Amino acid sequence: MEWSRDDVLAVVKSSPDRVAAHDKAGWVGLFAHGAVVEDPVGGPPARKGADPRDGDDELGRFYDVYIAPNDVRFEVLADVVQGLTVVRDVNITTRTPNDARVALPAYLIYELGEFDGALRVNRMRAFWELRGVTAAALKGGPKSLIAMTGLTARMLRIQGFSNVSTYLEGLWRGIFERGHETVEELARAIRERDLAGLRGLFTDDEPRIEIDPGKRYTPRGVFDALGPGASLEVEAPISAGFFTGFRCTLTAHGARRSGMGLLEFDPHTRSCTSARLFLG
C-alpha cells in the first residue's frame, strides 16, 4: 500500500498529543511489536514486548518512568519526511510533579512500517545531550535536585539497576564536543572543496555520505554530485552517544534545501563512519 506524506506525518504527530494527554495505551499502540525507542540515543533502548502481560514490556516501563508522572510538551520547529522516515527538530519541556522544569532541544527520528495494514513506528531515536541537561538540572536549585532524586528512585524501582547504569554511562561515554567540531569541519570542507579534509573525517574512503535517500557518495563523489560553488551551512549540533545531529542548509546547482543532518562515529577511532542529510 502506498502511504502519503500526510499519512506518515499523522502517526508521528499523534505521539506528542498522546503524551500530553497521558494516554499510555494510545501512545504505546503507535509502536509495532518489537519496536525500539532510544531516548536518548546512547542510553538503554526500550523495546515493545509482544504481550504486556508477560512482563516483557520495556516500552511500557519507559512510559511509567519518564512520561506518566510528568507534563511533557513539544514545540515542533521543523519536520522532514522521507518515505516512511520522519525527522523532527523540536524543543521539549518537561514539568515534574514538584513543578521543576527541564527544557531541552532535540532531534527525533521516527522510522515507520506497515504492520497488519496500518502504519506503526518501528524505531524512534531521540538525540539530546544528557550531560548538558544533567548539568543544567544540578544548577536549577532545590526543585531540580528533588526531581532528579525522584527520577532516579523511580528508574531503579521500575527499570532496575542495570538500566540506570547504562543510562548514566551517557554522562561520560560519547562523542560530545568532538561531534560538534566534526560538523563544522564537514561544512568547511564542502564549502572549500577540500577533498583531503573531507576524507580525513571518515574511517575510510568508501561511500559513506548520503544526501538523498539511497544515494551514497565517497568524499570525491560528493564534490562531483554537488558541483562547483556548493555549500553546507550548519547550526545547533547535538551529540548523543556516538551520533551528532544538526540543522543544515545545502546549496547546490542554484537550489537551497534545508533540513537536518546526522553523523555517526566509531567509538574506538572517534572518526565518522557515516554522514546523512535529511533535506526537504
Side-chain angles (χ1 to χ4, degrees):
M1 180 174 176
E2 291 292 328
W3 298 96
S4 70
R5 182 184 187 277
D6 288 344
D7 293 331
V8 175
L9 200 52
V11 175
V12 172
K13 286 181 174 179
S14 65
S15 177
D17 291 342
R18 297 184 182 189
V19 165
H22 286 90
D23 178 5
K24 178 179 179 179
W27 183 77
V28 172
L30 295 173
F31 295 84
H33 294 311
V36 174
V37 169
E38 300 171 67
D39 188 356
V41 167
R47 185 177 299 274
K48 181 179 178 180
D51 186 349
R53 293 171 298 181
D54 65 10
D56 182 22
D57 186 25
E58 296 169 345
L59 190 59
R61 290 193 287 273
F62 173 91
Y63 180 97
D64 292 339
V65 169
Y66 302 106
I67 299 174
N70 300 316
D71 178 46
V72 184
R73 304 289 170 169
F74 289 70
E75 177 192 9
V76 179
L77 304 178
D79 284 320
V80 175
V81 181
Q82 292 186 345
L84 297 182
T85 298
V86 178
V87 183
R88 312 200 88 182
D89 181 357
V90 301
N91 289 322
I92 305 172
T93 302
T94 300
R95 191 180 72 205
T96 66
N98 71 331
D99 206 35
R101 284 174 171 79
V102 178
L104 60 94
Y107 302 117
L108 312 178
I109 299 180
Y110 294 81
E111 298 172 11
L112 280 65
E114 183 178 336
F115 300 88
D116 298 325
L119 279 178
R120 295 284 184 270
V121 180
N122 197 44
R123 185 186 189 192
M124 194 283 277
R125 292 183 288 169
F127 301 86
W128 52 271
E129 298 196 345
L130 177 61
R131 179 185 284 184
V133 171
T134 302
L138 289 173
K139 297 176 182 177
K143 280 187 179 180
S144 294
L145 292 175
I146 292 170
M148 286 184 64
T149 302
L151 172 62
T152 303
R154 194 162 58 250
M155 291 168 67
L156 286 168
R157 184 178 71 255
I158 297 174
Q159 295 178 308
F161 178 79
S162 177
N163 191 286
V164 174
S165 177
T166 302
Y167 185 87
L168 293 177
E169 281 184 13
L171 293 173
W172 58 267
R173 188 172 185 272
I175 198 66
F176 303 119
E177 288 78 12
R178 173 67 178 273
H180 296 202
E181 294 166 0
T182 304
V183 168
E184 296 292 344
E185 181 62 17
L186 174 71
R188 185 206 63 79
I190 289 176
R191 182 176 62 251
E192 298 179 7
R193 295 185 69 85
D194 179 1
L195 179 57
L198 190 59
R199 279 177 171 167
L201 300 179
F202 292 88
T203 52
D204 53 43
D205 202 29
E206 295 299 312
R208 297 187 179 276
I209 306 171
E210 183 172 316
I211 297 175
D212 289 302
K215 296 181 180 179
R216 289 184 173 268
Y217 302 95
T218 62
R220 181 182 293 279
V222 164
F223 292 128
D224 294 338
L226 297 181
S231 67
L232 180 67
E233 301 167 43
V234 297
E235 64 174 343
I238 295 174
S239 292
F242 288 94
F243 293 82
T244 300
F246 52 97
R247 295 186 195 127
C248 62
T249 298
L250 177 68
T251 302
H253 305 295
R256 286 171 60 87
R257 302 167 63 196
S258 296
M260 283 147 276
L262 183 67
L263 304 184
E264 181 175 2
F265 295 85
D266 184 293
H268 303 290
T269 66
R270 303 180 77 80
S271 293
C272 197
T273 60
S274 69
R276 183 175 180 183
L277 302 184
F278 300 86
L279 300 171

